[in-house]
Amino acid sequence: MRKILLGFLVIVFSFPVISQRYDRMREAMVRNQIAARGIKHQPTLDAMRKVERHLFVPQRSQARAYDDHPMPIGYGQTISQPYIVAYMTQLVDPEPGDRVLEIGAGSGYQAAVLAEIVDEVYTIEIVPQLGEQAKQRMNDLGYDHVEVIIADGYHGLPDKAPFDAIVVTAAAEHIPPPLIEQLKDGGKMVIPVGSPFMVQTLILVEKIDGQVKTTNLMAVRFVPFTRSNN
Amino acid sequence: MDKRLYIAIGLLSSSIIAFQLVLMQILSISQWSHFAYMVISVAMLGFGASGTLLSFTGKWLTRHIAVALPMLMLSTALSMAVIMYLSELVFAGFDSYLLFLDRSHILGLVTSYMILFIPFLLGAMAIGLVYMHHVSRIGSLYFADLFGSGLGGLIMVFMFWQFKPALLPFVIAMLPLTAGLLLFQRKYMFGLGSATTIVLFCILYGLAYPPALPMSQYKSLSRSLLLPEAKIVETQISPYGEIKLFSSSSLRFAPGLSLNYTGDIPIRKALFNNGNWYGPLVDFNNPDSTHFLDYATQALPFVISQPQKVLILDAGTGLYAAHALSRGASSITAVEPNKAATDMLNRYVPIPKDRIRFINHHSRSYLMSDTSQYDLIILPVIESFGGSSGINALNEQYLFTTEAFGEIWNRLSANGMMAVTVWHDHPARNSLKMLATLVEMVAKYSQDDPELHLAAIRGWGTITFIATKENITEKNIAQIRAFCKTRNFDPLLLPVIRPDERSYFNQLQDNTFLELIDRVMTEEREAFYSAYDFQIRPASDDKPYFSQYLRLDRMGKMREIFGQGSVPFLEVGYLIVLVTFIQIALAALILIILPLLAIGFKGGSRWYTLIHFSGIGIGFMFVEIMFIQQFTLYFGHPIYAAAVVLSGMLIFSGAGALFTQKFVIGKACMAGLMVAIVILILFMAFFLTSHLNASISAPLFVKILLSILFIGPLSFLMGMPFPFGLRLLGKHNNHLIPWAWGINGCFSVVSTALATIIAVETGFRNVMFIAALAYLFTMVVNLRAKWN
């Protein structure tokens, strides 16, 4: 009985310590991995500081949640490298009042970061198990302005269109035409190309006066290195 | 007993080579082929380790050989049978995909090494023990060993068509079980009988309840199975791999589609090979003449011409054939080596055979033997969406060499053209290498300015190049510009191009990529190849590694630029071979030194033993790898060619070994043999390619006869030095036999990785020269040897 009580006390008293440890890790992540690599968009930096990334990864991986790489979350899916999440967020330039669509909710981390900045986030997940987990997580963390929809993201959400920004986290070898249609004029869409465990590039799609243009943003993982060496 | 011993050795050797091929297949399905290569290379070191173990335990085992030998064979059978169940333990929580990301997966890798190593160790110990005990009959025993191995390779070609990969280990395990039973002696009936019962039970249980093959969750099939209404419609097993027909309501495939496309993508079914994406099933009879590929950069050749006669190389499931059909081509030849995939395609999709002809053949070999002229030749897409991170770096891609492009150019009609599409990559590699290959082709064969014959357009994800026999006209340029404008593509290369039109719809962060493209077009491109940080010099038949971009001399710089630990993300394929080589070289060194603790470091003929058995190990394997490389192209069917070459070499080598049984060995005899081997190797290095090319269109039986003519004599001679060496040792240094067996095993394994590295860095011909050098050096040492 004394042992159980002792264990309980250790857990209760160590909770703030663990929590503080994650705060410090998150701060270090923003400082060393994100700001140091040239992310200047203040709302993005603030959101990355606020969202508790370790709550979006499997429990056994929580200690490494703030490391500078993607992490497996099961079902062949990953939670992106923190820098990529920040870079994609900065690229779509979200603002309060925006309506954002995300394709590929995964753990829900990218949606949570966006939700710290904008008013409405719709995130679609095709894998039911992941979708249910993301839904539960959003409820638990109080993100009531994030709607997780379990469906085929190819069709987007015509009922909620147009969107100020669309973030595609699960890339395909073609960009679904319905998503281009549902992008607001002046809106931005960002798509990663390539496996998260290999060299990824980002494609930024912009709709300007009805015309669609893209920008190839090179190898994301190495952006600061390649740019400085060019 | 004699006959039974030979049959037992033959059966055991068959099972070992068959098991190696099955493991390769299973690991390629479950994980990835480059991982399979690494694991099996290490597992094969079991041959080297068997020599080490025999050095310590050989005397004891020889005293108890009546029990030890059948027990070793039964243990080999048991380890083969339980490997599938043990592999479930290995792959629980382990994924080679995460190897370079999460160091905890290294433990899984080491465990898989250990488990897969056991059957090879036990099997090789049984063979080594027989050699120790019956060294006077080494020639005929070695014949049984090699003949059995050769037969094992041939049997597997048949077995891969008949049995599911998960069942094969159990089927193969029956061979060493039978071998063990053949050597039973009545007085040990109880012990051996009990062991047999256990092994037999494991085999029968496995055949009745074969375990499921665990598949990496990151393989494209695993991920596709998560899609709505996903199901496997049919599975076809074959030596080419496990082909699965997959369907899902959410499956769509339209690579690099224009952002202006608004229609449907009507694909619901696709083929996967060994869990990897193979191609979509498309409708060849769509009455609607529009095709979604009209909205991809791949439509470029049809923008400026209406080709009637089209050749599609490595056609896969016929996506480009369907597109060419929709554009009015009247005669389409689709060359695809994977027969199992084409058979499945034929079963599920009605193909208009009057206009499309599928040919099951290696595309390059087909090009070499074909004499037709085509209006358009389409090559397969280079790399995959998002890059493959160099997984294909060590695949021999004979379709993308300068020689292949020359043959393509010669197959084009007077107004014909070739087309090839690449995915964007960064840092730029495949697009530059492809352009370099095209430029060199046009410069060499048209004797004209390449700029007048080349055009390319760029979308958000893909670049399509065309090379035309005639000059690209102003009308063509206008057509390409108009097409780009309607599809949101940008011209990348035109005989006349404005800087502002090259990145209008698809912008780049800066102009670096465009400048690199322009540098390839200049006369100074050779200097550019040398200066660039990646290997972008066109591939050749001697170094047919188009997708190999990593330069060893720039590894330090790569680490500096991209960060420590980032190189695997650029090109994992070549890195795997380098890592494998280092691992097995270190392990081999330990395995070779360890027996000296038992047999002593000095005296006898240690140096000669080391050099003789390592030299012939290197020489044999280097020649074998070169033969497989040359004959794969010659036969046009990689798997059958490998089976014929491997089996031919092993059987002829076995015959050579048998021949030695009749001779008394002397230094002069050995020296003469080595000189003959060296001369034949040099002959092959200089003349084999040209002789094979001259007869590439000959009927199959002529090709087989010619192959035997080339492979036979050299293999026959190469089968002799090993039994000669063992017999010499047997005279005065019997205790060194297990060490020699281990050395030969270690160097055979190390040589496979080393040969690949040498081929990548300096070309296949140098692999042959080094093989000749290895034999020459062995000869010199033999002349000076004091075997007593």
Side-chain angles (χ1 to χ4, degrees), chain B residues 451-569:
Chain B
E451 275 191 15
L452 303 173
H453 296 265
L454 290 172
I457 60 172
R458 190 171 63 85
W460 62 269
T462 55
I463 300 168
T464 297
F465 294 93
I466 53 167
T468 60
K469 210 78 181 272
E470 291 181 329
N471 285 1
I472 293 170
T473 62
E474 279 185 23
K475 186 185 166 198
N476 296 152
I477 296 172
Q479 287 169 319
I480 293 171
R481 280 190 175 131
F483 174 73
C484 284
K485 206 169 179 182
T486 58
R487 302 294 194 267
N488 283 21
F489 297 147
D490 296 309
L492 177 65
L493 273 179
L494 290 173
V496 182
I497 196 161
R498 297 189 309 270
D500 64 307
E501 66 180 329
R502 295 179 91 181
S503 55
Y504 179 76
F505 288 108
N506 302 283
Q507 292 157 358
L508 299 161
Q509 273 186 302
D510 55 37
N511 284 333
T512 309
F513 175 66
L514 301 176
E515 286 162 10
L516 295 173
I517 287 280
D518 291 342
R519 286 185 73 180
V520 178
M521 296 298 292
T522 63
E523 289 291 324
E524 286 78 42
R525 55 183 164 272
E526 187 59 37
F528 174 53
Y529 301 156
S530 304
Y532 199 57
D533 287 334
F534 293 93
Q535 178 57 266
I536 54 159
R537 182 174 278 105
S540 66
D541 280 356
D542 195 38
K543 291 162 77 173
Y545 303 103
F546 185 93
S547 299
Q548 197 278 316
Y549 307 104
L550 211 61
R551 287 177 58 165
L552 289 183
D553 60 338
R554 305 295 165 93
M555 293 275 265
K557 191 176 175 190
M558 290 295 112
R559 276 197 290 271
E560 201 179 296
I561 295 174
F562 298 120
Q564 194 74 27
S566 290
V567 176
F569 298 95

Side-chain angles (χ1 to χ4, degrees), chain B residues 593-666:
Chain B
I593 291 174
L594 267 181
L596 296 173
L597 296 174
I599 57 177
F601 284 83
K602 289 182 180 173
S605 315
R606 280 155 186 71
W607 276 111
Y608 304 122
T609 307
L610 178 65
I611 291 167
H612 179 86
F613 289 96
S614 59
I616 61 174
I618 291 173
F620 192 97
M621 289 312 293
F622 276 26
V623 171
E624 182 179 303
I625 284 166
M626 196 283 307
F627 270 150
I628 291 173
Q629 178 253 345
Q630 291 278 333
F631 283 93
T632 298
L633 205 55
Y634 187 56
F635 280 105
H637 289 281
I639 287 157
Y640 296 116
V644 168
V645 171
L646 267 181
S647 304
M649 265 193 90
L650 291 168
I651 290 168
F652 274 98
S653 300
L658 190 64
F659 190 67
T660 61
Q661 197 68 44
K662 296 180 179 172
F663 284 92
V664 178
I665 322 128

